[in-house]
Amino acid sequence: MTRLSKIVPCLWFDTRAEEAADFYVGLFEDSRILRVRHYGPDAPRPAGMVLTVDFEINGQQITALNGGPGFTFSEAVSLQVVCDGQEESDHYWYKLSEGGQESQCGWLKDRFGFSWQVFPAELDDLLADPDPGRAGRAMQAMLKMGRIDLAEIRRAADGG
């Protein structure tokens, strides 16, 4: 298998790597499972158990590893889903947060405990507005949100 990139995120799961990869591939368009490897005999986990799943979501290759209970996810690492607008942002926000935990500023944990940031691309423009007043108002509005509401952030940026 040819790697798409020299840098491939590896997500450490206890036992749910294949389930997570299937969920992510089913959620994002242009996504697929690339390869599934299994533990062999004399491995630290039962022979035949899924070891890794290489998958691709929107051109980004990721590996999911069933490494055991030794490590868990934290917000220190997340994947960003930069969306084309509010409708797409809402779609991913609601699907990824289902069975997980919503947080603030577009952050959430999915049902596997992995962190995502979901937001419309226009949010970056509003937060980087050359007018510091507009940018500051946009930032203050965003800090009060869980799911990003782009219309509300625009109103705040405009002084409404």
Side-chain angles (χ1 to χ4, degrees), residues 67-126:
F71 298 104
T72 57
F73 297 123
S74 82
E75 292 82 354
V77 175
S78 63
L79 294 179
Q80 294 182 328
V81 184
V82 183
C83 301
D84 289 332
Q86 188 69 55
E87 185 177 335
E88 183 181 34
S89 182
D90 287 350
H91 167 77
Y92 288 118
W93 172 266
Y94 290 120
K95 292 292 187 178
L96 285 166
S97 65
E98 188 176 293
Q101 180 181 359
E102 296 179 1
S103 189
Q104 73 179 78
C105 303
W107 287 68
L108 63 90
K109 285 187 180 181
D110 67 24
R111 66 183 77 169
F112 306 103
F114 187 73
S115 292
W116 297 82
Q117 299 172 58
V118 181
F119 57 92
E122 185 183 336
L123 177 63
D124 275 342
D125 295 334
L126 290 165

Side-chain angles (χ1 to χ4, degrees), residues 3-8:
R3 292 241 180 243
L4 299 176
S5 174
K6 287 188 179 273
I7 299 173
V8 177

